Amino acid sequence: MDSMALHDEIDSFFDSAPPLKDAAKITDNLKKFIESNFPVSGEGKGRRVVCVTSGGTTVPLEQRCVRYIDNFSSGNRGAASTEYFIKAGYAVIFLYRRGTCQPYCRSLPDDPLLECFEFADELDVQVRKPYSEAVKGAIRNHHAAVSSGLLLKLPFTTIFEYLQMLRIIAISMRSLGPQAMFYLAAAVSDFYVPWKSMAEHKIQSASGPLDMRLMQVPKMLSVLRMEWTPMAFCISFKLETDSKILLEKASIALKKYKMHSVVANELLTRKEEVTVVTTDQNILVQRDKTRVDSDVEDPLIGLLVDKHSTYIKESST
Amino acid sequence: MDSMALHDEIDSFFDSAPPLKDAAKITDNLKKFIESNFPVSGEGKGRRVVCVTSGGTTVPLEQRCVRYIDNFSSGNRGAASTEYFIKAGYAVIFLYRRGTCQPYCRSLPDDPLLECFEFADELDVQVRKPYSEAVKGAIRNHHAAVSSGLLLKLPFTTIFEYLQMLRIIAISMRSLGPQAMFYLAAAVSDFYVPWKSMAEHKIQSASGPLDMRLMQVPKMLSVLRMEWTPMAFCISFKLETDSKILLEKASIALKKYKMHSVVANELLTRKEEVTVVTTDQNILVQRDKTRVDSDVEDPLIGLLVDKHSTYIKESST
């Protein structure tokens, strides 16, 4: 597709999207967060800032939304990676799907409030013994990250919200130059129903099978990379269930969207290993199997932070 | 559709569904729960038992599921109704979508663990003041219901899990006769992709729009009502976004599936009012607007409990 056709598609996607609620407030929060980590008066010295996207986007099938298509993602990858980025000294803008896994909460049960607490006496609740460390760690680390200004959390649900927010974030991060990084781990819908052609009311089920035609979501990665924030270091993800086509598809995405790296992962083994695909090599990254509680995100973020350092150095020469 | 064609459709749905995990354990837990509330030795005297279904079912579009269609439902109706049924003396089997609203937790924020707690000192966490009552109430009431054997929680995700579990529950409840009630508030998918015709791998997005054909989920309500548990008192729900067709559709469902009542609700006003549609009258039920924190489920469950009492009396004469 030529660039003009892509821009037309993108314009038509944004024009037809329902307007983002709280856009002004989000922009304002981003501005404060970025300034506090990367002060203008700091003469270009400041923290690196990474935008981590996490969880799946939804595609509404009706305007008054009863049914939607969802992309499966627990948000575990994004939450874990956020923890390791903060540990490495980054400030993190965590753009996450409502209800998915939160940083520092990965070892907790599905319903932590009801499963982890009990009454100590008539008046006070306490953490039940087996969960004590995990719950206290979650509350302590999460509050520390937020209160020290290293973690800004922004929730989305639909593909329309996600792409509008990503654009606002990218434009806000432009001033960071090569210190900015995008780590695009969210599972973004490939297909959507344009808002204006969508059924206003619930689709009726009375008569026979349902035939649907979904349009491709325009690929925003190249526009993010080349226009919204051209100096940022950009990592995208490629998830497949079929290992035979995985690396080839990752490599095509790398070139097509001019990413700096593409993290290739297969559905069944994604917690064990990933392959970082770059123009000159493919690097297999595995979790430390000698430890039960190790994460593949630990060595992965280590590797990407190193690559980012090299990129910053090369950008300044 | 004639009854034989429906049975063929239902058989083919269950035959093609992936087998339910933990089916034996679920059956066993149900048996214990029902026996403890309705002892065989109690000479037919026991608690009434209601199965409340809650939240939306998903329809996988791929066998190794990356994409799925979801039905929107916060689970608020089912959670609230469960609280009022327990208050009215019922034992509740709460068949709910993983991650949706839980009984006694409706007034809490999205992420209660991270938003409601803080460290009191180096070692102990405490509930933050503004959330104190709500959090303590949630933990206390929830534990009380579970530990006194009045609440059994069973989670589902897909339409395949939901319908298999509903069948197991219905058959387990058959022995309760007219003391059994079904309160089917879950948002169940109308369309699905048969498991065997489903793509094994992730659908590729390379070329053009996506065309999908979805089959109708066979309507199990009449089979639940007439075969699985023929003596139970059955309430189903009808949600529409278009008020003009709502009552008519509820009335059709009432006759078609031989429900005892259908609760008709409109998407925008569903927290304010519902209409209970029966063969001889439509009853508008509204929440008490003189109180900020009143629920429409309070008078709704009151009305249905009365109707259930009448039904039990009539069944025994």
Side-chain angles (χ1 to χ4, degrees):
Chain A
M1 183 186 297
D2 64 34
S3 156
M4 211 142 95
L6 177 63
H7 277 85
D8 285 352
E9 260 192 37
I10 291 175
D11 287 348
S12 116
F13 178 90
F14 281 124
D15 288 348
S16 84
L20 183 65
K21 277 180 204 154
D22 298 326
K25 197 177 144 202
I26 293 169
T27 308
D28 196 48
N29 285 345
L30 275 165
K31 197 169 163 239
K32 283 184 195 144
F33 183 78
I34 288 169
E35 271 174 15
S36 76
N37 282 293
F38 205 84
V40 182
S41 59
E43 291 169 0
K45 283 173 200 153
R47 268 182 201 282
R48 299 182 192 173
V49 180
V50 60
C51 170
V52 173
T53 69
S54 187
T57 63
T58 69
V59 171
L61 299 177
E62 298 143 333
Q63 280 191 12
R64 307 195 189 179
C65 186
V66 176
R67 298 194 185 90
Y68 55 88
I69 297 183
D70 203 343
N71 268 38
F72 169 74
S73 172
S74 64
N76 197 80
R77 171 90 73 213
S81 303
T82 295
E83 296 172 25
Y84 290 105
F85 274 120
I86 288 175
K87 208 171 163 186
Y90 281 64
V92 180
I93 297 163
F94 184 60
L95 180 62
Y96 71 100
R97 165 71 179 276
R98 264 189 199 84
T100 56
C101 191
Q102 296 298 298
Y104 310 109
C105 295
R106 293 177 289 133
S107 60
L108 295 173
D110 274 357
D111 233 327
L113 182 70
L114 297 177
E115 293 178 52
C116 299
F117 289 87
E118 63 190 0
F119 269 83
D121 48 51
E122 287 282 290
L123 284 172
D124 289 307
V125 294
Q126 67 183 16
V127 188
R128 289 171 57 203
K129 257 278 157 10
Y131 298 112
S132 182
E133 294 239 344
V135 166
K136 289 180 181 174
I139 296 170
R140 181 185 288 118
N141 293 328
H142 187 270
H143 284 208
V146 172
S147 67
S148 60
L150 294 180
L151 177 58
L152 178 67
K153 305 210 296 188
L154 298 173
F156 66 84
T157 302
T158 68
I159 180 78
F160 301 110
E161 290 168 351
Y162 173 79
L163 287 173
Q164 289 181 87
M165 290 170 87
L166 186 64
R167 184 171 61 168
I168 292 175
I169 293 168
I171 292 170
S172 303
M173 284 173 74
R174 198 184 283 163
S175 62
L176 301 172
Q179 305 273 92
M181 177 166 168
F182 281 83
Y183 180 88
L184 303 161
V188 182
S189 318
D190 294 311
F191 301 100
Y192 78 115
V193 184
W195 190 256
K196 282 176 183 165
S197 72
M198 209 178 282
E200 187 191 352
H201 289 296
K202 191 177 166 191
I203 298 165
Q204 294 301 319
S205 66
S207 44
L210 174 67
D211 291 308
M212 275 196 306
R213 164 157 281 201
L214 300 169
M215 304 305 295
Q216 280 198 46
V217 173
K219 301 294 182 187
M220 308 258 178
L221 279 187
S222 50
V223 181
L224 166 82
R225 175 72 188 82
M226 304 312 285
E227 295 174 25
W228 295 348
T229 176
M231 295 290 288
F233 188 64
C234 289
I235 315 294
S236 72
F237 280 72
K238 185 53 99 179
L239 172 73
E240 293 291 340
T241 62
D242 185 352
S243 62
K244 290 194 288 290
I245 59 172
L246 176 61
L247 291 184
E248 196 200 325
K249 296 213 69 163
S251 177
I252 292 170
L254 183 81
K255 288 183 199 103
K256 190 165 169 193
Y257 307 122
K258 302 191 174 64
M259 293 288 109
H260 296 98
S261 302
V262 173
V263 180
N265 57 142
E266 206 194 316
L267 191 62
L268 288 175
T269 58
R270 69 193 190 282
K271 294 192 173 175
E272 296 298 317
E273 60 179 50
V274 299
T275 302
V276 175
V277 175
T278 64
T279 43
D280 52 3
Q281 56 180 341
N282 294 348
I283 306 166
L284 180 69
V285 179
Q286 295 181 299
R287 88 179 173 82
D288 176 359
K289 282 170 187 144
T290 63
R291 285 171 41 216
V292 187
D293 63 343
S294 69
D295 298 310
V296 66
E297 289 81 7
D298 186 353
L300 172 63
I301 303 307
L303 176 69
L304 294 175
V305 167
D306 285 349
K307 286 192 176 290
H308 192 197
S309 301
T310 308
Y311 174 78
I312 293 170
K313 235 179 266 165
E314 285 171 356
S315 302
S316 69
T317 56
Chain B
M1 183 185 300
D2 63 34
S3 157
M4 209 144 95
L6 178 63
H7 278 85
D8 284 352
E9 259 191 38
I10 290 176
D11 287 348
S12 115
F13 179 89
F14 281 124
D15 287 348
S16 84
L20 183 65
K21 277 180 204 154
D22 299 325
K25 198 177 143 201
I26 292 169
T27 308
D28 197 48
N29 284 345
L30 277 165
K31 198 169 162 237
K32 285 184 194 145
F33 183 78
I34 289 169
E35 272 174 15
S36 77
N37 282 293
F38 205 84
V40 182
S41 59
E43 290 169 1
K45 284 174 198 150
R47 269 182 200 281
R48 298 183 193 173
V49 180
V50 60
C51 171
V52 173
T53 69
S54 186
T57 63
T58 70
V59 171
L61 299 177
E62 299 143 331
Q63 281 192 11
R64 306 194 191 182
C65 184
V66 175
R67 299 193 185 92
Y68 54 88
I69 298 184
D70 204 343
N71 268 40
F72 170 74
S73 172
S74 64
N76 197 80
R77 171 90 73 212
S81 303
T82 294
E83 296 172 25
Y84 290 105
F85 274 120
I86 288 176
K87 208 169 161 186
Y90 281 64
V92 180
I93 298 165
F94 183 61
L95 180 61
Y96 71 99
R97 165 71 177 276
R98 263 186 201 88
T100 55
C101 191
Q102 296 297 299
Y104 309 110
C105 295
R106 293 178 289 132
S107 60
L108 296 172
D110 273 355
D111 233 326
L113 181 70
L114 297 178
E115 292 178 52
C116 300
F117 290 87
E118 64 190 0
F119 269 83
D121 48 50
E122 288 283 289
L123 285 172
D124 290 307
V125 294
Q126 68 183 15
V127 188
R128 289 171 56 201
K129 258 279 157 13
Y131 298 113
S132 183
E133 294 242 342
V135 166
K136 288 179 181 175
I139 296 170
R140 181 185 289 117
N141 293 329
H142 187 270
H143 284 208
V146 172
S147 66
S148 60
L150 294 180
L151 177 58
L152 178 66
K153 305 211 295 187
L154 297 173
F156 66 83
T157 303
T158 68
I159 179 80
F160 301 110
E161 290 168 352
Y162 173 79
L163 286 174
Q164 289 181 87
M165 291 169 86
L166 186 64
R167 183 171 60 167
I168 293 175
I169 293 168
I171 292 169
S172 303
M173 285 172 74
R174 199 183 284 163
S175 61
L176 301 172
Q179 305 274 92
M181 175 168 171
F182 281 84
Y183 181 87
L184 303 161
V188 181
S189 318
D190 294 311
F191 301 100
Y192 79 115
V193 184
W195 190 256
K196 282 176 182 166
S197 73
M198 208 179 282
E200 186 191 352
H201 290 296
K202 190 178 167 190
I203 298 165
Q204 294 302 319
S205 67
S207 44
L210 174 67
D211 291 307
M212 276 196 306
R213 164 157 283 201
L214 301 169
M215 305 304 295
Q216 280 198 47
V217 173
K219 302 292 184 189
M220 308 258 178
L221 280 186
S222 51
V223 182
L224 166 82
R225 175 70 188 85
M226 303 312 285
E227 296 174 25
W228 295 348
T229 176
M231 295 290 288
F233 188 64
C234 290
I235 315 295
S236 71
F237 280 72
K238 185 53 99 179
L239 172 74
E240 292 292 338
T241 62
D242 185 353
S243 62
K244 292 193 288 291
I245 59 171
L246 176 62
L247 291 185
E248 196 201 327
K249 295 214 68 164
S251 177
I252 293 170
L254 183 81
K255 288 182 201 106
K256 189 165 169 193
Y257 307 122
K258 304 188 174 63
M259 293 289 109
H260 296 98
S261 301
V262 173
V263 180
N265 55 142
E266 207 195 315
L267 191 62
L268 287 176
T269 58
R270 69 193 189 282
K271 295 190 174 177
E272 296 298 317
E273 60 178 50
V274 299
T275 303
V276 176
V277 175
T278 64
T279 43
D280 52 3
Q281 58 180 340
N282 294 349
I283 306 165
L284 180 68
V285 179
Q286 295 181 299
R287 87 177 173 83
D288 175 0
K289 282 172 188 143
T290 63
R291 285 171 41 217
V292 188
D293 63 343
S294 69
D295 298 310
V296 67
E297 290 80 9
D298 187 352
L300 172 63
I301 302 307
L303 175 69
L304 294 176
V305 166
D306 285 348
K307 286 192 175 289
H308 191 195
S309 301
T310 309
Y311 175 79
I312 293 170
K313 236 178 266 165
E314 287 172 356
S315 303
S316 67
T317 56

